[in-house]
Amino acid sequence: MSDILEAEPEVNGLTQVKPTLPSNWYFDPAQYHRELRNIWYRNWIYLCRSETLDAPLAFRTFEIGDQNVLLVRDENGALNAFHNTCRHRGAVLKTEPSGRLQARAITCPYHAWTYKLTGELARMPSKLCAPDFSKADHGLYKIALAEWNGFVFINLDENAGPFDAAPDRDDSAPVDNWPLADLRVGHSVRKLLACNWKVFWENYNECLHCAHAHPELSDIVPIYSRGLLSQRDDPNWRAQGDTTDPKLKGGLKIGAETWSMDGRALPYTFPKLTEAERAAGQTYFTKLPSMYMVAHIDYVRIVHMRPLGPEQTELTAEWLFPAETLNDPAFDLPKAVEFADLVMRQDVALCELNQKGLHSLRHRTGTLMPEEYLVHKLHNWVRSQLDES
Ligand code: FES
Ligand SMILES: [Fe+2]
């Protein structure tokens, strides 16, 4: 449900019938590998919040497609990302999802080649060494890494350009007034979804399903109950004049302040938001292909995904709060997260339902409705990424 990607057209909405992507793009192994190669192994991918590696020697591992990434905080406090692969004969170095190294070194469990936390090969147990063997040529395979406002991104492309030069780097403005770097992860949920990664993104990019699938969300964001994301999705929006009715204009229902069961915000709200940002109720920021965030006046939720197979996707949601909230003895965490958690569970069920039906021998492609203009935009993005020329 992103309204960020669209520049201000007169009216949103598709004016022609557009097909979806071919159904087999959602389960065909060859297509899946094509997308890994062209999308997931070329773009900047969100991994985690920097604070989750809280001290030197902390490490985490991540799977993206068939690649395994090792993220380590070195003795100087810097983060380094490597392929989780030993340079000797290719064994995986760390198998745990997270932990703390016992020493200032990474030692391969197979033949004990040992690397510095910055990746250089430090020693091997061999008694013999060929004269032309060079330690300097056998450091860990380094992965490009960037930290942005406490978010850790990597790029598996060996020739990745700088993060700041990525084509989508100029779109941070929607969340510039949120103190993202200072926020802390208060809660996270991880799920394995039985669907292709694109199915979840499609669900995020439309609200046609909202009225019946998200009654609670449609109550708090009334325009969603009409299957619309914003006022200009309605061809008759001009006739609505300066309406303040949230069912037409968008934003939260009268009296609501945030996404929560009762619509009330937490006591501490972000001080630098504009009036418009406070009134909007939710601000979206999207970074394809791995993450989006929904920023409210009192908390921010990150949703990120990584493909694990043609029909398996790892989905993680992280709720970020300011320290003032987390330190408040009266803070009720389960209450603060239950609304968005419910919405996400509703979406996950739909995505898995969607995936199952795509296997029909007869369903070679689907058809988009005008309200699904952002799904069409997403499909065009996928197609453009797959251009291998
Ligand atoms: S494979 Fe790692 S030391 Fe042999
Ligand atoms: Fe949804």
Side-chain angles (χ1 to χ4, degrees):
M1 289 171 285
S2 164
D3 54 7
I4 292 171
L5 300 174
E6 202 65 28
E8 291 263 85
E10 176 66 13
V11 179
N12 299 324
L14 296 173
T15 52
Q16 289 179 325
V17 172
K18 294 288 179 191
T20 62
L21 297 176
S23 292
N24 67 356
W25 283 27
Y26 298 84
F27 52 80
D28 174 47
Q31 175 63 24
Y32 170 68
H33 284 287
R34 195 170 159 229
E35 292 174 8
L36 289 181
R37 230 173 26 245
N38 287 280
I39 298 176
W40 289 90
Y41 301 165
R42 272 193 191 167
N43 283 287
W44 286 93
I45 305 296
Y46 172 64
L47 280 190
C48 63
R49 289 285 292 177
S50 178
E51 60 165 299
T52 62
L53 291 93
D54 59 348
L57 278 57
F59 73 89
R60 291 186 65 177
T61 60
F62 303 87
E63 280 180 82
I64 305 172
D66 58 6
Q67 298 301 297
N68 205 308
V69 175
L70 172 60
L71 186 63
V72 183
R73 192 173 293 284
D74 67 28
E75 46 274 71
N76 297 318
L79 284 176
N80 299 298
F82 307 105
H83 284 266
N84 190 8
T85 295
C86 178
R87 288 297 304 273
H88 175 216
R89 278 174 38 212
V92 157
L93 297 161
K94 300 304 292 180
T95 53
E96 309 93 312
S98 63
R100 195 168 301 277
L101 299 167
Q102 298 301 312
R104 295 177 173 193
I106 301 162
T107 300
C108 177
Y110 199 170
H111 314 92
W113 278 32
T114 297
Y115 303 88
K116 295 182 186 173
L117 302 189
T118 42
E120 295 87 357
L121 177 59
R123 55 188 178 275
M124 316 87 71
S126 298
K127 303 285 177 292
L128 306 170
C129 204
D132 57 346
F133 179 86
S134 160
K135 273 208 236 169
D137 292 341
H138 289 82
L140 295 177
Y141 301 109
K142 198 145 188 167
I143 297 172
L145 180 148
E147 291 186 58
W148 173 77
N149 280 322
F151 299 92
V152 179
F153 287 87
I154 57 140
N155 192 325
L156 287 163
D157 187 340
E158 228 182 304
N159 304 308
F163 178 76
D164 284 332
D168 59 353
R169 259 309 276 129
D170 58 351
D171 58 1
S172 63
V175 284
D176 277 354
N177 290 334
W178 274 262
L180 297 174
D182 302 330
L183 301 184
R184 297 284 167 267
V185 180
H187 181 65
S188 68
V189 172
R190 177 179 172 271
K191 293 178 196 290
L192 288 182
L193 270 55
C195 71
N196 181 270
W197 66 274
K198 299 186 295 298
V199 168
F200 191 82
W201 270 119
E202 290 171 356
N203 174 275
Y204 166 72
N205 276 293
E206 51 90 359
C207 218
L208 260 186
H209 65 279
C210 289
H212 56 277
H214 300 306
E216 302 82 3
L217 178 60
S218 295
D219 175 58
I220 216 150
V221 186
I223 197 170
Y224 291 173
S225 70
R226 299 170 57 222
L228 306 180
L229 293 167
S230 63
Q231 189 173 14
R232 289 191 189 202
D233 291 6
D234 184 340
N236 299 318
W237 71 272
R238 279 203 178 279
Q240 294 159 4
D242 296 336
T243 180
T244 54
D245 180 355
K247 200 159 186 168
L248 302 175
K249 189 175 185 301
L252 300 178
K253 74 176 177 184
I254 307 294
E257 302 169 302
T258 193
W259 284 25
S260 63
M261 286 299 186
D262 58 10
R264 295 187 42 204
L266 297 163
Y268 185 84
T269 59
F270 301 118
K272 295 203 173 141
L273 306 187
T274 63
E275 264 319 300
E277 286 165 343
R278 297 182 75 83
Q282 64 277 322
T283 298
Y284 294 99
F285 171 81
T286 305
K287 186 137 179 68
L288 288 169
S290 64
M291 67 101 85
Y292 68 83
M293 74 174 85
V294 191
H296 304 286
I297 64 169
D298 53 345
Y299 72 97
V300 172
R301 185 170 52 105
I302 312 298
V303 178
H304 53 106
M305 67 198 79
R306 287 185 281 274
L308 297 182
E311 299 184 76
Q312 191 173 55
T313 301
E314 178 186 15
L315 186 77
T316 307
E318 292 169 305
W319 279 254
L320 307 184
F321 298 98
E324 288 84 348
T325 294
L326 292 175
N327 295 335
D328 178 357
F331 175 49
D332 186 343
L333 177 70
K335 187 162 179 278
V337 304
E338 67 180 331
F339 183 88
D341 187 63
L342 172 67
V343 174
M344 196 169 80
R345 279 187 280 118
Q346 292 164 338
D347 281 328
V348 165
L350 292 173
C351 289
E352 295 189 332
L353 195 77
N354 193 171
Q355 181 72 31
K356 274 191 179 165
L358 288 167
H359 281 270
S360 162
L361 289 172
R362 300 286 299 278
H363 190 76
R364 295 189 184 89
T365 187
T367 303
L368 296 177
M369 291 287 98
E371 296 92 333
E372 296 171 300
Y373 59 96
L374 287 181
V375 179
H376 179 60
K377 187 163 183 166
L378 172 75
H379 290 167
N380 283 345
W381 181 84
V382 170
R383 287 190 186 97
S384 71
Q385 295 275 309
L386 293 175
D387 180 6
E388 298 187 37
S389 59

